[in-house]
Amino acid sequence: TILEAELLVVSPGVDVRMPLLARARALGIPILSEVELAYRSCQARFLGITGTNGKSTTTTLVGLMLERAGVPVTVAGNIGTALCEVVPGLGPDRWVVAELSSFQLETIETFRPEVACLLNVTQNHLDRYASLAEYRDAKARLFLNQEAGDWAVLNADDPLVLEAAAAARARPVLFSRFHPVEDGAFLDGDRLMLRRAGETREVCRAGEIRIRGVHNLENALAAIAASTLAGGSPEAARAVLAEFPGLEHRLEPVAVLGGVQFVNDSKGT
């Protein structure tokens, strides 16, 4: 039976507080996420991305930006491809860009992303969590095992993000749509700027970004900040932002009929 197992790996959709898993814990059976199992099976460097909204778009952007910059990269996780399917055996020269949900982060133990990005925290999954604070704390587990030499990419405009990262040991790198930051990416008028080590440079203009919406300006800023920490470049970021058409079901242009533009935003929450 399941209570005779040596190890349990739970699907993210399974509430770890269910009675059967409580009995397993009482018997001393380790309960891990697939993310934790994957992390233990390779030597690759991890860049983890979580948040209530924008995870898939930002994860895709970071992967494309690193690829454009010539950095060996694999994209997987909550975005659709299980980490265990692609990461075993990867070497230390490769970055794994992992989209991570709060459910996946509940059962990590040693998982340590060198770059951890928290995009935003808004009310979600309150059928599983007792409060918004509990949901925020699940997201905050992304920073749990980071060390002082790692990086935490944070939305400076979201108080819940800053609360979640308050105890993080990693070095903060911020992104903001509303004001300049000392270290990170920000919007200055219609210019997306990157400031690192006291040097500020323009990455691109907002009008050059192919994907639409002010929320995608935030996703772009987060991707710029995160990708450049993992070996990417402003030039690669600019090229990707000019080309990337967006993901399916997210403000996806469908057709113009009779002068009316139809947009598929069925993923919108």
Side-chain angles (χ1 to χ4, degrees), residues 154-216:
L154 308 171
N155 186 344
D157 305 328
D158 189 328
L160 286 173
V161 166
L162 299 180
E163 286 178 16
R169 293 183 293 273
R171 295 167 287 182
V173 172
L174 305 179
F175 65 93
S176 173
R177 191 159 57 88
F178 299 111
H179 57 80
V181 298
E182 289 186 11
D183 193 8
F186 60 94
L187 194 63
D188 179 13
D190 71 336
R191 301 185 302 161
L192 280 74
M193 310 295 292
L194 176 67
R195 179 175 292 164
R196 296 302 321 281
E199 180 183 347
T200 305
R201 61 181 299 179
E202 178 182 320
V203 177
C204 66
R205 300 271 176 165
E208 297 176 55
I209 300 176
R210 185 171 174 183
I211 50 176
R212 306 178 183 191
V214 292
H215 62 292
N216 276 322

Side-chain angles (χ1 to χ4, degrees), residues 80-256:
T81 303
L83 285 160
C84 278
E85 188 175 330
V86 294
V87 304
L90 294 183
D93 62 330
R94 180 168 292 268
W95 280 90
V96 175
V97 180
E99 178 188 329
L100 302 166
S101 70
S102 58
F103 297 166
Q104 289 173 308
L105 291 168
E106 286 177 7
T107 43
I108 61 166
E109 288 188 357
T110 64
F111 175 72
R112 173 192 153 222
E114 291 183 46
V115 180
C117 179
L118 179 53
L119 300 172
N120 44 62
V121 179
T122 59
Q123 288 196 19
N124 201 14
H125 298 307
L126 295 185
D127 55 335
R128 175 133 160 186
Y129 298 106
S131 65
L132 179 59
E134 188 176 288
Y135 172 57
R136 175 205 64 202
D137 291 346
K139 293 289 191 189
R141 289 179 60 80
L142 181 66
F143 310 112
L144 180 66
N145 297 309
Q146 283 196 294
E147 300 174 358
D150 297 330
W151 301 97
V153 179
L154 308 171
N155 186 344
D157 305 328
D158 189 328
L160 286 173
V161 166
L162 299 180
E163 286 178 16
R169 293 183 293 273
R171 295 167 287 182
V173 172
L174 305 179
F175 65 93
S176 173
R177 191 159 57 88
F178 299 111
H179 57 80
V181 298
E182 289 186 11
D183 193 8
F186 60 94
L187 194 63
D188 179 13
D190 71 336
R191 301 185 302 161
L192 280 74
M193 310 295 292
L194 176 67
R195 179 175 292 164
R196 296 302 321 281
E199 180 183 347
T200 305
R201 61 181 299 179
E202 178 182 320
V203 177
C204 66
R205 300 271 176 165
E208 297 176 55
I209 300 176
R210 185 171 174 183
I211 50 176
R212 306 178 183 191
V214 292
H215 62 292
N216 276 322
L217 290 177
E218 295 181 4
N219 293 336
L221 290 168
I224 291 167
S227 66
T228 51
L229 291 170
S233 68
E235 294 77 16
R238 178 175 184 168
V240 167
L241 291 170
E243 298 171 0
F244 179 60
L247 299 174
E248 288 185 323
H249 313 297
R250 297 159 175 85
L251 290 178
E252 180 186 11
V254 177
V256 177

